[in-house]
Amino acid sequence: MYYKFDGITQKLAGSSARAAYFPQGLKPGIPAEPAPLIFAGPTRVGAGHSPDAAFMGINTVRELQKLFQKPDGLPVHLKGGYADKLLYRITMALALGGTLYTLVALYLAAQPQNRK
């Protein structure tokens, strides 16, 4: 016997094999046509720019590679300057605070309660 979920009674109900293998209205269908590409055309560059420019931003990859690959002994997550150091210290403080809070909560949960 085959079963399927009945949406009205919220229980399993007996059904035919076809209804059990394609539940709740899902039927095999014809694959849909692929959607047309929105940005398939060539990229236009605004007036005043060279025609060989493919994007509007400035390529900063070389400068970032020089910054992050400099052998100054700092880990990569601290090479961004003061903001990176601040984020690192805040993260470490929150991790330490969470660890201490967890240990205190476990200690208090392990203590027997006084029943009066």
Short mmCIF file of all heavy atoms in Angstrom, two decimals, residues 7 11-12 16 19 21 24 26-28 30-31 33 37-39 48 63 65 68 72 83 85 96 98 108 110-111:
data_model
loop_
_atom_site.label_atom_id
_atom_site.label_comp_id
_atom_site.label_asym_id
_atom_site.label_seq_id
_atom_site.Cartn_x
_atom_site.Cartn_y
_atom_site.Cartn_z
N GLY A 7 -2.75 17.11 3.25
CA GLY A 7 -2.61 18.46 3.76
C GLY A 7 -3.80 18.94 4.56
O GLY A 7 -3.68 19.86 5.36
N LYS A 11 -2.28 14.14 8.23
CA LYS A 11 -1.91 12.76 8.54
C LYS A 11 -1.55 12.04 7.26
O LYS A 11 -1.81 12.52 6.16
CB LYS A 11 -3.08 12.03 9.22
CG LYS A 11 -3.45 12.60 10.57
CD LYS A 11 -4.59 11.83 11.17
CE LYS A 11 -4.98 12.43 12.51
NZ LYS A 11 -6.10 11.74 13.12
N LEU A 12 -0.95 10.86 7.41
CA LEU A 12 -0.70 10.02 6.25
C LEU A 12 -2.00 9.34 5.84
O LEU A 12 -2.75 8.86 6.68
CB LEU A 12 0.36 8.96 6.56
CG LEU A 12 1.80 9.45 6.69
CD1 LEU A 12 2.71 8.30 7.06
CD2 LEU A 12 2.26 10.09 5.41
N SER A 16 -2.73 6.07 -4.36
CA SER A 16 -2.22 5.25 -5.45
C SER A 16 -0.71 5.42 -5.53
O SER A 16 -0.13 6.34 -4.96
CB SER A 16 -2.87 5.67 -6.76
OG SER A 16 -2.47 6.97 -7.10
N ALA A 19 0.30 8.85 -7.13
CA ALA A 19 0.12 9.99 -6.23
C ALA A 19 1.18 9.97 -5.12
O ALA A 19 1.59 11.02 -4.64
CB ALA A 19 -1.27 9.98 -5.62
N TYR A 21 4.32 8.82 -5.41
CA TYR A 21 5.63 9.18 -5.95
C TYR A 21 5.70 10.63 -6.39
O TYR A 21 6.79 11.17 -6.54
CB TYR A 21 6.01 8.26 -7.10
CG TYR A 21 6.44 6.90 -6.62
CD1 TYR A 21 5.71 5.77 -6.93
CD2 TYR A 21 7.57 6.75 -5.83
CE1 TYR A 21 6.10 4.52 -6.48
CE2 TYR A 21 7.96 5.52 -5.37
CZ TYR A 21 7.24 4.40 -5.70
OH TYR A 21 7.62 3.18 -5.25
N GLN A 24 1.67 16.02 -3.55
CA GLN A 24 1.17 17.38 -3.42
C GLN A 24 1.29 18.18 -4.71
O GLN A 24 1.76 19.29 -4.74
CB GLN A 24 1.89 18.07 -2.28
CG GLN A 24 1.63 17.36 -0.98
CD GLN A 24 2.50 17.84 0.14
OE1 GLN A 24 3.28 18.75 -0.02
NE2 GLN A 24 2.37 17.21 1.29
N LEU A 26 3.14 17.79 -7.40
CA LEU A 26 4.37 17.87 -8.18
C LEU A 26 4.31 16.83 -9.29
O LEU A 26 4.24 15.64 -9.04
CB LEU A 26 5.59 17.63 -7.29
CG LEU A 26 5.78 18.62 -6.15
CD1 LEU A 26 6.96 18.21 -5.30
CD2 LEU A 26 5.97 20.01 -6.70
N LYS A 27 4.34 17.28 -10.49
CA LYS A 27 4.28 16.39 -11.65
C LYS A 27 5.52 16.63 -12.50
O LYS A 27 6.02 17.75 -12.60
CB LYS A 27 3.03 16.69 -12.50
CG LYS A 27 1.73 16.63 -11.73
CD LYS A 27 1.36 15.21 -11.42
CE LYS A 27 0.00 15.18 -10.77
NZ LYS A 27 -0.11 14.29 -9.67
N PRO A 28 6.02 15.58 -13.13
CA PRO A 28 7.15 15.80 -14.03
C PRO A 28 6.70 16.65 -15.21
O PRO A 28 5.64 16.43 -15.77
CB PRO A 28 7.56 14.40 -14.47
CG PRO A 28 6.36 13.56 -14.27
CD PRO A 28 5.60 14.18 -13.12
N ILE A 30 7.86 19.56 -18.59
CA ILE A 30 8.83 19.89 -19.62
C ILE A 30 9.77 20.93 -19.05
O ILE A 30 9.34 21.89 -18.42
CB ILE A 30 8.09 20.45 -20.86
CG1 ILE A 30 7.10 19.41 -21.36
CG2 ILE A 30 9.07 20.86 -21.93
CD1 ILE A 30 6.17 19.95 -22.42
N PRO A 31 11.09 20.77 -19.25
CA PRO A 31 12.00 21.76 -18.70
C PRO A 31 11.74 23.14 -19.31
O PRO A 31 11.46 23.26 -20.50
CB PRO A 31 13.39 21.25 -19.08
CG PRO A 31 13.20 20.04 -19.90
CD PRO A 31 11.75 19.70 -19.92
N GLU A 33 12.41 26.94 -20.64
CA GLU A 33 13.44 27.56 -21.46
C GLU A 33 14.35 28.39 -20.57
O GLU A 33 13.88 29.02 -19.63
CB GLU A 33 12.79 28.46 -22.52
CG GLU A 33 11.95 27.71 -23.54
CD GLU A 33 12.81 26.86 -24.45
OE1 GLU A 33 13.93 27.27 -24.79
OE2 GLU A 33 12.36 25.76 -24.80
N LEU A 37 19.90 36.20 -21.00
CA LEU A 37 20.89 36.90 -20.21
C LEU A 37 20.62 38.40 -20.24
O LEU A 37 20.37 38.97 -21.30
CB LEU A 37 22.29 36.62 -20.75
CG LEU A 37 22.77 35.19 -20.62
CD1 LEU A 37 24.12 35.03 -21.29
CD2 LEU A 37 22.86 34.79 -19.16
N ILE A 38 20.66 39.01 -19.09
CA ILE A 38 20.37 40.44 -19.01
C ILE A 38 21.58 41.25 -19.47
O ILE A 38 21.46 42.22 -20.21
CB ILE A 38 19.98 40.82 -17.57
CG1 ILE A 38 18.70 40.10 -17.19
CG2 ILE A 38 19.82 42.32 -17.44
CD1 ILE A 38 18.33 40.27 -15.74
N PHE A 39 22.76 40.82 -19.05
CA PHE A 39 23.97 41.58 -19.34
C PHE A 39 24.79 40.91 -20.44
O PHE A 39 26.01 40.88 -20.38
CB PHE A 39 24.82 41.74 -18.08
CG PHE A 39 24.10 42.44 -16.98
CD1 PHE A 39 23.62 41.73 -15.88
CD2 PHE A 39 23.85 43.78 -17.04
CE1 PHE A 39 22.95 42.38 -14.87
CE2 PHE A 39 23.17 44.44 -16.02
CZ PHE A 39 22.73 43.74 -14.94
N GLY A 48 34.36 60.21 -22.31
CA GLY A 48 35.58 60.69 -21.71
C GLY A 48 36.52 59.59 -21.26
O GLY A 48 37.61 59.87 -20.78
N GLU A 63 48.61 47.01 -5.57
CA GLU A 63 48.94 47.67 -4.31
C GLU A 63 48.59 46.78 -3.11
O GLU A 63 49.33 46.72 -2.13
CB GLU A 63 48.19 49.01 -4.19
CG GLU A 63 48.70 50.08 -5.14
CD GLU A 63 48.14 49.93 -6.54
OE1 GLU A 63 47.09 49.28 -6.70
OE2 GLU A 63 48.77 50.43 -7.47
N GLN A 65 48.47 43.50 -3.15
CA GLN A 65 49.44 42.40 -3.11
C GLN A 65 50.73 42.86 -2.45
O GLN A 65 51.33 42.12 -1.66
CB GLN A 65 49.73 41.90 -4.53
CG GLN A 65 48.65 41.01 -5.09
CD GLN A 65 48.94 40.57 -6.50
OE1 GLN A 65 49.75 41.16 -7.20
NE2 GLN A 65 48.27 39.51 -6.92
N PHE A 68 49.98 43.05 1.41
CA PHE A 68 49.78 41.79 2.14
C PHE A 68 50.94 40.81 1.98
O PHE A 68 51.08 39.90 2.78
CB PHE A 68 48.47 41.13 1.70
CG PHE A 68 47.26 41.85 2.22
CD1 PHE A 68 46.42 42.53 1.37
CD2 PHE A 68 46.98 41.86 3.56
CE1 PHE A 68 45.31 43.19 1.85
CE2 PHE A 68 45.88 42.53 4.06
CZ PHE A 68 45.04 43.20 3.20
N ASP A 72 56.99 41.64 6.73
CA ASP A 72 57.23 42.45 7.92
C ASP A 72 56.96 41.69 9.21
O ASP A 72 57.02 42.27 10.29
CB ASP A 72 56.40 43.73 7.87
CG ASP A 72 54.92 43.46 7.71
OD1 ASP A 72 54.53 42.28 7.65
OD2 ASP A 72 54.15 44.43 7.62
N ALA A 83 42.37 49.61 12.03
CA ALA A 83 41.03 49.00 12.03
C ALA A 83 41.11 47.48 12.21
O ALA A 83 40.31 46.90 12.96
CB ALA A 83 40.30 49.33 10.73
N LYS A 85 43.53 45.83 13.73
CA LYS A 85 43.96 45.57 15.11
C LYS A 85 42.79 45.72 16.07
O LYS A 85 42.63 44.92 17.00
CB LYS A 85 45.09 46.51 15.49
CG LYS A 85 46.38 46.20 14.77
CD LYS A 85 47.47 47.18 15.15
CE LYS A 85 48.72 46.90 14.33
NZ LYS A 85 49.77 47.87 14.57
N LEU A 96 37.02 35.62 24.79
CA LEU A 96 37.42 35.38 26.17
C LEU A 96 36.25 35.58 27.13
O LEU A 96 36.03 34.77 28.04
CB LEU A 96 38.59 36.30 26.55
CG LEU A 96 39.15 36.11 27.95
CD1 LEU A 96 39.74 34.73 28.10
CD2 LEU A 96 40.18 37.17 28.24
N GLY A 98 33.05 35.29 26.42
CA GLY A 98 32.10 34.19 26.22
C GLY A 98 32.57 32.91 26.89
O GLY A 98 31.77 32.16 27.45
N LEU A 108 27.83 27.10 37.97
CA LEU A 108 26.58 27.33 38.71
C LEU A 108 25.56 26.23 38.45
O LEU A 108 24.80 25.85 39.36
CB LEU A 108 26.00 28.69 38.36
CG LEU A 108 26.81 29.90 38.82
CD1 LEU A 108 26.18 31.19 38.31
CD2 LEU A 108 26.94 29.90 40.33
N ALA A 110 26.28 23.15 37.92
CA ALA A 110 26.73 21.92 38.57
C ALA A 110 26.52 21.92 40.07
O ALA A 110 26.61 20.88 40.72
CB ALA A 110 28.21 21.69 38.26
N GLN A 111 26.23 23.07 40.66
CA GLN A 111 26.03 23.16 42.10
C GLN A 111 24.64 22.65 42.46
O GLN A 111 23.66 22.93 41.77
CB GLN A 111 26.18 24.62 42.56
CG GLN A 111 27.54 25.20 42.30
CD GLN A 111 28.64 24.42 43.02
OE1 GLN A 111 28.48 24.06 44.17
NE2 GLN A 111 29.70 24.15 42.29
#
